[in-house]
Amino acid sequence: MVSPYIYIIIASLVINVVGTAPMLLSETSRRYSWIPPLVSILILLAAPNVYLIPFIAFTVTIGLLGIVTLMRVDSSIRGVDYMLIGIMIIAIVLALYTSNLALALLSLVLISAPTYLLIMIGEPRVSLEVGIKYVVNMIIATVLFFVGALIIASTATLPTYILGFSLLILGLSLEVGAAPMHEWVPDVFTAGNPVPVSIIASIAKIAPFIVALKVILTTMGSIPPYYLAYIAGAVATISMFVGNIGALTAKEDARVLAYSSIANMGYVMSALAAAVMGYAMGSSTTLGLALVGLLLQLFMNAVGKIGFFNSVFSRGNNAVSTWLISLAFIGTPPLLGFWSKLYIILALVYGNLTWLAVILVVNSVISVPYYVRLARSLGTGFKGGLAEGMVLAVTLIILATVVPPSWFIDPVMRLIGYLTLYL
């Protein structure tokens, strides 16, 4: 039986695509082409379960920030770009909600494909070079992810499951830009237009982790969890060190943010390792903590990167906001980034991965100098305008957890029922 909420997701997609089409017929109507995507993502808030609402609300908020961000660019695909953001938000919601493997993998395609066009926005020659490099890497990532998912979804023996799991993790790492599959990230983030890059660095990171987590937890069965957790933990460790050390030595702000993204994907990969251990141990507490940390870190990365890249695009922004974003990325309490890292660390400790928790803490300390440097470089003073409003909105989101975020944490810990698929 098809769930009623699937019909809402389908309706959202129809409104987004069909509603946008007439807006593209004239230059005058293109001014209002943001309306159908906006409506399409807002109706996703009609969630069937109260536990889904905080996740969807955060996702919709990131989508709104993405749409407003694209308004700053003189895009050759005006209208289509807003529609692509709508598709990506729908894909994130579908990734968490669906219990169907085919739809879960479809959500991965829906989150990746729009970025192929968005990365082309900007100076034609540079955008083409960056776009080709990005698209080739994403195609390889999708193939690796799909092959790995299909192998572990079959009745695999331990050796073939480890092979499939390794391919899936490599595909995931390439998709989100985690080391050692990060080679495309510094070049694309530095050469690309900061506005579409902010979308790739934020919205595009969420669904791949959700889909990977669901596929792994559904299929691991009696596979010894330490095999899987150590593979994911090794990737997390490499990504954290490569990202943070690379950011320390990088000179350009955009390149620092590129390596910062690599490090952040390492933190999220740590949460995935903890989730594997929690599920295998039958500990809903460990699994719940890992899920909270994973989602909060993805949201922190998303809003923080949108704020920073908007500041790069406008060559600076107000100092208060840029400092608060930097402090949140470092993990200063009680900002959003503190809670995400806290819950990942707790999940790692409860999941008998204390060594990985220590590595995470060490890397958070390593990150302090370059986030301070970013705050000084981009905090050039109040300017006013759309960019200022965007960064202020990001700052408010980061400050939302000044009130202890039980309003978000408790519902997310009850999303465990959505983490498996029916094969």
Side-chain angles (χ1 to χ4, degrees), residues 354-366:
T354 306
W355 60 273
L356 190 53
V358 172
I359 290 173
L360 192 154
V361 172
V362 169
N363 274 274
S364 294
V365 174
I366 293 173

Side-chain angles (χ1 to χ4, degrees), residues 162-187:
I162 295 298
L163 172 63
F165 180 83
S166 300
L167 290 175
L168 186 146
I169 292 295
L170 288 175
L172 173 64
S173 300
L174 188 57
E175 182 85 27
V176 302
M181 308 294 284
H182 67 289
E183 187 271 337
W184 63 271
V185 178
D187 292 338

Side-chain angles (χ1 to χ4, degrees), residues 362-381:
V362 169
N363 274 274
S364 294
V365 174
I366 293 173
S367 72
V368 173
Y370 70 79
Y371 279 122
V372 170
R373 180 154 49 97
L374 274 176
R376 290 175 175 173
S377 174
L378 297 176
T380 56

Side-chain angles (χ1 to χ4, degrees), residues 40-288:
S40 73
I41 64 176
L42 287 177
I43 69 170
L44 293 171
L45 292 170
N49 190 318
V50 68
Y51 304 137
L52 276 171
I53 292 177
F55 170 81
I56 296 176
F58 260 88
T59 304
V60 168
T61 300
I62 294 169
L64 295 177
L65 292 174
I67 290 174
V68 176
T69 297
L70 288 175
M71 291 179 178
R72 303 189 63 202
V73 183
D74 185 18
S75 173
S76 58
I77 56 171
R78 174 63 71 238
V80 175
D81 50 359
Y82 303 142
M83 180 183 72
L84 295 175
I85 295 295
I87 291 173
M88 294 174 75
I89 297 303
I90 294 166
I92 294 172
V93 174
L94 177 63
L96 180 66
Y97 182 75
T98 186
S99 58
N100 183 286
L101 176 61
L103 289 179
L105 295 177
L106 174 63
S107 70
L108 193 66
V109 175
L110 290 176
I111 202 77
S112 297
T115 61
Y116 301 166
L117 286 177
L118 291 174
I119 195 63
M120 299 293 185
I121 297 174
E123 198 278 318
R125 184 186 63 80
V126 175
S127 296
L128 182 60
E129 293 176 2
V130 170
I132 290 173
K133 184 170 189 174
Y134 176 75
V135 170
V136 169
N137 277 278
M138 290 306 100
I139 291 174
I140 296 172
T142 302
V143 171
L144 287 173
F145 193 104
F146 275 43
V147 171
L150 293 175
I151 289 175
I152 66 177
S154 65
T155 53
T157 60
L158 177 59
T160 54
Y161 191 96
I162 295 298
L163 172 63
F165 180 83
S166 300
L167 290 175
L168 186 146
I169 292 295
L170 288 175
L172 173 64
S173 300
L174 188 57
E175 182 85 27
V176 302
M181 308 294 284
H182 67 289
E183 187 271 337
W184 63 271
V185 178
D187 292 338
V188 170
F189 278 36
T190 305
N193 185 305
V195 171
V197 165
S198 72
I199 305 300
I200 293 170
S202 57
I203 300 174
K205 306 289 189 184
I206 301 174
F209 273 106
I210 295 174
V211 175
L213 186 60
K214 294 176 80 165
V215 171
I216 293 166
L217 297 188
T218 301
T219 60
M220 61 184 290
S222 59
I223 300 294
Y226 287 101
Y227 286 108
L228 312 184
Y230 285 169
I231 292 172
V235 172
T237 301
I238 294 170
S239 196
M240 285 187 281
F241 278 113
V242 168
N244 285 316
I245 293 172
L248 284 174
T249 57
K251 303 300 182 184
E252 300 173 75
D253 291 337
R255 202 167 189 86
V256 173
L257 290 171
Y259 281 105
S260 164
S261 178
I262 294 168
N264 275 280
M265 294 305 100
Y267 302 145
V268 181
M269 194 70 75
S270 299
L272 189 146
V276 168
M277 291 300 297
Y279 186 79
M281 294 162 57
S283 171
S284 59
T285 299
T286 304
L287 180 55

Side-chain angles (χ1 to χ4, degrees), residues 11-24 29-43 67 79 82-87 90:
S12 175
L13 188 61
V14 170
I15 292 170
N16 184 50
V17 177
V18 177
T20 301
M23 299 289 184
L24 307 178
S29 60
R30 281 178 184 267
R31 299 175 187 173
Y32 309 100
S33 57
W34 53 271
I35 296 176
L38 175 63
V39 173
S40 73
I41 64 176
L42 287 177
I43 69 170
I67 290 174
Y82 303 142
M83 180 183 72
L84 295 175
I85 295 295
I87 291 173
I90 294 166

